[in-house]
Amino acid sequence: MISSVLPTYNRAPLHFVKGEGSWLIEADGRRFLDMGAGIAVNALGHAHPALVAALTEQASTLWHTSNLYHIPQQQALADKLVDATFADTVFFCNSGTEACELAVKMARKYFFEKGQPERVEFLTFDGSFHGRSSAGIAAAGSEKMTHGFGPLLPGFKHLPFGDHDAISASIDDKTAAILVEPVQGEGGIRPLPDACLKGLRDLCDEHGLLLVLDEVQCGVGRTGRLFAHEWAGIEPDIMMVAKGIGGGFPLGAVLATEEAASGMTAGTHGSTYGGNPLGCAVGNAVMDHITAPGFLDDVNRKAGLLRQKLEALVAGHPDVFQSVRGSGLMLGLVCVAPVGDVVSAAYDAELAIVPAAENTARLLPPLTITDEEIAEAVTRLENVAQAIQSKESVAL
Ligand SMILES: *Cc1c(COP(=O)(O)O)cnc(C)c1O
């Protein structure tokens, strides 16, 4: 008999009932160190006092009005994002998937209004993830996500990750945009080298294409800059944001230049909940924290500390771990042992980590993690490695 919750997830046998900072408390009382942060969502950890205050204050004042009216919290958050980034304008939605939907619509509308309605195609990359809507799965294109869900939304060309020549050769008079994650998340924490991101920007400029970045996972301070593309010194035309921006409250956004957004006039897009007072109250508090002087410097310092400790862990256990990769506090442990075994052994060690493609375990801790918690996480990973090694020696 089907479960009352649609069985689309393979869930771990864990039931968390409370969160405190970097810690998750299981129904049985065990305290898990949370190195997953709800898949890079709880950017300021669990139950951060500033976010709790922002949400409860807004909850006792006004929850929802719809976008029939002005929403001051939404205006404030848009102003903050415009001040802090390349963008001239922001649309708010409730998830990364919805951000992808608008990014695709906006790029197509841009060329339509420019009198080039044939430019509808997106170049996207192997291993990418852009959400589970019809546009999102068509953009990613993997068999795993698209199987049985045809006909797929047309207009996406899938290319090998980071193969500049293949990308260049695929551009024709139907191409509208290049859509890419600066650091692939679900794909196994694969950073696109800065030179490659610069190369994509150059290609877009050369051919009059839009560069659309998916920073749903790697954005909002995760890599040690407010947005990951800043490391490459380039700017996109359109950018998708979600996950960390709401700190755990469902919130997404599409940021764009005035030029790229020029086709999106009144009536061309909308959302009932998008940019509601609750989500934006929390989003404002998240942005205030992440852009406060010194916050990202501290993220970078801690990222260096975690990476150094992980390099030592990998060197000490070459039969369990192969390498560390990623950027800032978005790190991947490429495993030799099956990543499923590593993640289960981590649960046994009361440590939450997140599996990804390419046999990689993701470490995406709250950006507020302390030095002591970083040391504790690596100690627990040492125990994980030892547990896997002793299991393997028994099996031999
Ligand atoms: C999670 C994710 C999405 C989808 O976001 P949802 O909020 O789950 O809809 C899109 N792109 C990337 C890169 C993501 O990591």
Side-chain angles (χ1 to χ4, degrees), residues 262-273:
S262 58
M264 302 306 296
T265 50
T268 55
H269 196 65
S271 164
T272 300
Y273 290 125

Side-chain angles (χ1 to χ4, degrees), residues 177-261:
I178 298 176
L179 168 59
V180 68
E181 294 157 80
V183 184
Q184 281 193 351
E186 308 298 312
I189 311 291
R190 291 202 293 177
L192 200 65
D194 288 350
C196 199
L197 205 47
K198 281 197 191 108
L200 294 182
R201 178 70 268 176
D202 290 344
L203 271 180
C204 286
D205 291 343
E206 207 177 302
H207 296 274
L209 312 179
L210 298 175
L211 180 62
V212 182
L213 296 183
D214 182 344
E215 292 226 18
V216 169
Q217 195 161 150
C218 63
V220 196
R222 179 60 44 194
T223 68
R225 302 290 286 265
L226 185 55
F227 289 102
H229 66 266
E230 295 170 24
W231 289 113
I234 59 113
E235 292 183 340
D237 301 291
I238 299 173
M239 179 169 72
M240 297 155 52
V241 176
K243 293 201 166 96
I245 188 76
F249 196 95
L251 179 63
V254 174
L255 279 62
T257 62
E258 183 167 12
E259 168 82 4

Side-chain angles (χ1 to χ4, degrees), residues 43-189:
L44 301 184
H46 299 281
H48 190 288
L51 302 195
V52 173
L55 185 66
T56 49
E57 195 185 308
Q58 190 58 49
S60 61
T61 311
L62 181 63
W63 287 29
H64 176 83
T65 59
S66 87
N67 288 294
L68 290 170
Y69 314 107
H70 290 279
I71 299 175
Q73 296 79 4
Q74 186 183 130
Q75 182 65 54
L77 183 53
D79 290 343
K80 277 177 198 161
L81 287 165
V82 165
D83 282 348
T85 68
F86 74 96
D88 302 313
T89 188
V90 184
F91 180 90
F92 291 102
C93 52
N94 311 283
S95 68
T97 299
E98 286 172 73
C100 179
E101 291 296 314
L102 174 56
V104 170
K105 286 176 67 177
M106 184 183 282
R108 288 181 173 171
K109 190 71 158 40
Y110 170 75
F111 286 106
F112 181 87
E113 295 295 343
K114 269 184 67 156
Q116 297 177 283
E118 70 285 356
R119 283 198 182 266
V120 294
E121 232 169 55
F122 280 72
L123 305 183
T124 64
F125 299 96
D126 289 349
S128 64
F129 183 82
H130 303 294
R132 298 296 197 129
S133 64
S134 294
I137 63 174
S142 72
E143 178 67 12
K144 184 183 153 205
M145 273 185 280
T146 58
H147 185 75
F149 294 117
L152 296 178
L153 185 68
F156 296 91
K157 233 187 235 174
H158 307 105
L159 301 167
F161 184 68
D163 182 341
H164 201 81
D165 294 338
I167 299 159
S168 196
S170 306
I171 295 173
D172 59 27
D173 53 13
K174 282 206 210 118
T175 314
I178 298 176
L179 168 59
V180 68
E181 294 157 80
V183 184
Q184 281 193 351
E186 308 298 312
I189 311 291

Side-chain angles (χ1 to χ4, degrees), residues 338-351 353 384 388 391:
V339 68
D341 293 357
V342 172
V343 171
S344 311
Y347 292 148
D348 293 340
E350 296 170 18
L351 177 73
I353 57 176
V384 167
I388 286 177
K391 212 171 82 186

